Amino acid sequence: GHIWTLVGHLPVYFKSDDHGKFTVDKEKQAGVTAQLEAFLLQGKILIFCPEGQINKEPRNLQPFRRGSFGMPAELGMDIWAFTTHNADKVWPKNKAMGGFPATLKISLSKIHSGDSMKKPNTPQEVKAACIKLADTCREAMQTELDKFYSMETKQDK
């Protein structure tokens, strides 16, 4: 909507609107990809949600969309994780608007140090880097999330 446009959100064009279907329409996405790459090459940062959809079970992260890590891999970018606990209580999936009271726990941690001199060169290397980054990031964020849940109080539940 309009708020996403105001904050600079870039769309992702999928081939289907079906839940859980994440095949990107590469032809439609090409302009957005060029815009994003130009943005990142200016030294700006990207925030994205690698699960690809709202998680039905926030305690267990869904597999991360590996394609999300293509540009960070190709550009040799650092990757940081912003992990949250109880965001689903502030804005439940089935509510049109959030803002409910809850105690949020957050962490910001560097997961991957990029190196623009050691970027993948071939499509196979990019694919392998995407798989590794997605799995490494998901594992690190799940570990952080598990810590949050292990410290839960009655107020958090």
Side-chain angles (χ1 to χ4, degrees), residues 55-75:
N55 192 338
K56 292 178 185 175
E57 178 47 54
R59 189 175 192 129
N60 297 302
L61 296 175
Q62 299 175 81
F64 285 3
R65 309 306 312 156
R66 293 175 175 165
S68 301
F69 293 89
M71 200 168 292
E74 290 171 352
L75 298 177

Side-chain angles (χ1 to χ4, degrees), residues 141-157:
M141 290 178 76
Q142 184 65 58
T143 298
E144 194 67 20
L145 192 59
D146 291 344
K147 283 186 218 173
F148 288 150
Y149 277 103
S150 72
M151 298 184 297
E152 258 187 351
T153 65
K154 286 184 180 181
Q155 182 181 349
D156 294 332
K157 296 180 179 180

Side-chain angles (χ1 to χ4, degrees), residues 63-120:
F64 285 3
R65 309 306 312 156
R66 293 175 175 165
S68 301
F69 293 89
M71 200 168 292
E74 290 171 352
L75 298 177
M77 298 171 62
D78 291 347
I79 297 177
W80 290 73
F82 182 77
T83 308
T84 63
H85 170 267
N86 275 348
D88 59 304
K89 291 181 176 45
V90 174
W91 194 334
K93 181 178 179 165
N94 62 347
K95 301 293 182 191
M97 181 60 90
F100 297 98
T103 300
L104 289 175
K105 293 178 183 149
I106 61 169
S107 72
L108 179 65
S109 53
K110 189 173 189 177
I111 294 179
H112 172 75
S113 293
D115 185 343
S116 62
M117 301 304 289
K118 294 183 180 177
K119 300 181 289 189

